[in-house]
């Protein structure tokens, strides 16, 4: 009797382990998780994402620095979306960006779409009318370097709330004026230090750093902080963002490390 | 009839290394080699090392390694200062297409790091529980006296080296090397690695204070890597000099 129980529980354990492993390895069926495409590197990324979410306290604040800690800041990747020589140039959006920049971004508006009760768009003045947050934080690039800068912007949470984000929403995706898109889960999207920044080191966001508006996601590496924002899309399920997303280009989607 | 010592030995042979030691040895070996390879790929994307909280191409480096075309590439627009009173706080845009294979190298690095961390944790728990760590690896005070160490160093310099039986008991230098790698170098690698993570340091900012900043942690990570590679080299050479076939046998099939 006892032995039977033992066998059953052991079988349960084995089945449990196998299904957990299966979920982790196959991973693709869940709409709440980044897909692995059967690629062992993406499985490792998924393990890191799940382990970080499971083991780390939720929404810890990153360290904020003093004004004297502000360092030089390299600008890499696209430095002007209107430049046809750029690696990630998009003709239609590049031309639109050029016109908006010529007008001092007076006609620039960011669109907020998807799973929100009030889809719409916000001008820079609209965003500046919402609560603002200024933070001196460290930008860590996947290449190995880092930089400390002061960022001023509106908490992403304030914009999502103003747009009436639906309770079923799970991911927030960001599309840029170049061929770039990134996504965040709700934990990072609603993090108090996740802001849409329009200011850097006390002035308007410089062109090469993503003017007029960029994302700052402080708990992940630099490439998640999309520059030159055009559009924010709220989703219920994971979206790998196709050819312009990091995943299909071979890069990890979650880069808390 | 005189009983010889040989007769007293059991008919079956005793494993020179316990099974769990052999399995963890090879998982760790594979992880370390993969970590070193992928880590070097990552280093190639930015072969500059710094000391302190931050560092980038527009700030002074502690030193720069002459690897890849990224070495001192100088491909930046003219730096523009953010503040009138501080000419060091500049911004410049990159004009140079750098070598960067981090897409797969980073993911491979962390995948192999998981194997290293999980195997190390199991190894440490079993090592403590069975007494292997304390009995066979942690050097006693008398074993690290200058006299004993000197004698051990000299005996390692005499060629040809005697064929080793494989497995414990270990000499002073062996204990220092193994305990140093398992109890100091590998934990240091994991901790300095985690100190480069924005998510981990958000939760545990103490790590940045412990190593003097994330860039210092990256530099320590690099030097610890160099020491581990030195260990790996000496380890493999010693295995080769003390009966390669026998040593590999004892670490695989056990005897």
């Amino acid at each position: 009797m006892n032995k039977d129980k033992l066998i059953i529980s052991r079988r349960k354990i084995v089945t449990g382990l196998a299904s957990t492993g299966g979920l982790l390895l196959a991973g693709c069926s869940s709409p709440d998780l980044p897909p692995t495409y059967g690629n062992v590197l993406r499985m490792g990324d998924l393990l890191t994402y799940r382990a970080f979410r499971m083991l780390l306290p939720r929404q810890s604040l990153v360290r904020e620095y003093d004004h004297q800690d502000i360092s030089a800041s390299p600008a890499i990747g696209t430095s002007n979306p209107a430049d046809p020589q750029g690696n990630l140039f998009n003709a239609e959006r590049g031309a639109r960006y050029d016109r908006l920049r010529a007008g001092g971004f007076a006609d620039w508006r960011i669109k907020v779409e998807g799973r929100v009760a009030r889809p719409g768009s916000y001008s820079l003045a609209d965003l500046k009318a919402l609560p603002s947050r200024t933070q001196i934080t460290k930008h860590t690039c996947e290449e190995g370097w880092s930089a400390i800068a002061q960022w001023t912007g509106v908490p992403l949470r304030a914009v999502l709330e103003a747009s009436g984000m639906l309770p079923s929403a799970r991911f927030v995706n960001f599309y840029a004026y170049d061929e770039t898109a990134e996504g965040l889960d709700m934990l990072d999207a609603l993090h108090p230090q996740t802001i849409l920044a329009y200011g850097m080191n006390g002035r308007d966001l410089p062109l090469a750093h993503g003017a007029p508006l960029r994302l700052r996601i402080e708990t992940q590496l630099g490439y998640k902080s999309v520059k030159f924002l055009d559009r924010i899309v709220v989703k219920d399920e994971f979206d790998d963002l196709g050819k312009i997303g990091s995943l299909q280009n071979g890069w990890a989607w979650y880069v808390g490390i | 009839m005189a009983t010889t010592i040989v007769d007293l030995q059991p008919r079956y042979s005793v494993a020179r290394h316990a099974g769990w030691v052999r399995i963890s040895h090879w998982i760790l070996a594979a992880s370390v080699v993969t970590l070193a390879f992928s880590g070097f790929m990552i280093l190639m994307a930015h072969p500059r090392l710094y000391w302190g909280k931050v560092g980038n191409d527009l700030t002074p480096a502690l030193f720069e390694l002459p690897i890849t075309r990224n070495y001192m590439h100088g491909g930046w627009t003219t730096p523009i200062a953010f503040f009138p009173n501080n000419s060091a706080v500049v911004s410049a845009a990159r004009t140079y297409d750098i070598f960067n294979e981090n897409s797969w190298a980073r993911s491979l690095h962390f995948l192999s790091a998981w194997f290293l961390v999980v195997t190390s944790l199991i190894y440490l728990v079993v090592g403590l529980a069975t007494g292997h760590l304390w009995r066979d690896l942690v050097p006693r005070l008398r074993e690290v006296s200058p006299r004993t160490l000197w004698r051990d160093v000299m005996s390692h310099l005499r060629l040809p080296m005697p064929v080793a039986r494989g497995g414990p008991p270990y000499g002073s230098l062996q204990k220092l090397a193994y305990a140093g790698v398992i109890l100091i170098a590998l934990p240091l690698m994991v901790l300095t690695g985690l100190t480069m993570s924005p998510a981990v340091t958000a939760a545990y900012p103490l790590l940045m204070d412990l190593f003097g900043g994330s860039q210092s942690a990256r530099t320590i990570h690099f030097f610890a890597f160099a020491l581990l590679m030195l260990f790996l080299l000496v380890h493999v050479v010693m295995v080769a000099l003390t009966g390669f076939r026998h040593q590999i046998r004892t670490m695989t099939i056990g005897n």
Side-chain angles (χ1 to χ4, degrees), chain A residues 1 56 60-61 72-73 83 110 119 146 152 180 197 206 242-243:
Chain A
M1 186 61 187
L56 291 176
S60 307
L61 297 183
S73 279
D83 176 10
I110 185 159
S146 52
T152 301
T180 304
K243 287 202 298 280

Side-chain angles (χ1 to χ4, degrees), chain A residues 28-226:
Chain A
C28 358
S29 52
S30 171
D32 278 345
L33 292 169
T36 65
Y37 314 109
N39 178 325
V40 72
L41 294 181
R42 301 287 86 86
M43 292 173 200
D45 295 342
L46 182 60
L47 173 64
T48 302
Y49 173 54
R50 303 203 75 179
F52 271 43
R53 284 287 177 260
M54 208 182 297
L55 298 174
L56 291 176
R58 320 212 104 195
Q59 295 196 331
S60 307
L61 297 183
V62 304
R63 177 166 287 175
E64 296 196 15
Y65 295 87
D66 294 328
H67 205 269
Q68 72 215 36
D69 295 319
I70 294 176
S71 75
S73 279
I76 64 160
T78 301
S79 54
N80 179 359
D83 176 10
Q85 305 299 315
N87 288 336
L88 300 167
F89 176 69
N90 174 285
E92 182 269 317
R93 289 196 300 277
R96 191 148 53 87
Y97 183 84
D98 213 22
R99 280 197 304 278
L100 291 167
R101 186 174 163 235
F105 297 116
D107 297 328
W108 176 95
R109 296 182 81 82
I110 185 159
K111 297 172 266 306
V112 181
E113 316 166 342
R115 301 291 292 160
V116 288
R118 296 176 291 281
S121 67
Y122 299 79
S123 68
L124 278 173
D126 295 338
L127 295 177
K128 286 174 183 173
L130 288 170
S132 88
R133 184 183 163 91
T134 294
Q135 57 199 29
I136 301 177
T137 50
K138 185 175 64 193
H139 176 100
T140 305
C141 181
E142 47 78 16
E143 291 168 10
W145 55 266
S146 52
I148 292 177
Q150 184 194 63
W151 304 97
T152 301
V154 48
L156 176 61
R157 176 177 212 133
V159 176
L160 295 175
E161 280 170 358
S163 305
M165 183 169 70
L166 299 176
S168 59
R170 288 288 172 275
F171 296 95
V172 183
N173 298 323
F174 305 84
Y175 293 82
Y177 274 91
D178 62 358
E179 294 280 306
T180 304
E182 286 289 350
L184 299 178
D185 68 6
M186 270 312 152
L187 201 69
D188 275 341
L190 301 180
H191 188 285
Q193 289 166 318
T194 301
I195 63 173
L196 301 174
Y198 41 72
M200 179 184 185
N201 291 341
R203 52 171 82 181
D204 286 346
L205 191 62
L207 171 64
H209 288 279
L213 190 78
R214 75 174 297 171
L215 174 67
R216 287 297 313 162
I217 159 71
E218 307 291 357
T219 52
Q220 294 201 44
L221 295 185
Y223 72 79
K224 296 298 284 189
S225 287
V226 183

Side-chain angles (χ1 to χ4, degrees), chain B residues 66 77 90 106 116 154 174 202:
Chain B
T77 56
V90 295
R106 283 172 39 80
L116 178 105
M154 292 317 284
Q174 269 181 302

Side-chain angles (χ1 to χ4, degrees), chain A residues 232-250:
Chain A
I232 295 174
V233 182
V234 180
K235 298 278 254 185
D236 282 355
E237 63 291 311
F238 188 89
D239 179 351
D240 76 357
L241 306 168
K243 287 202 298 280
I244 60 172
S246 47
L247 268 172
Q248 289 199 20
N249 289 295

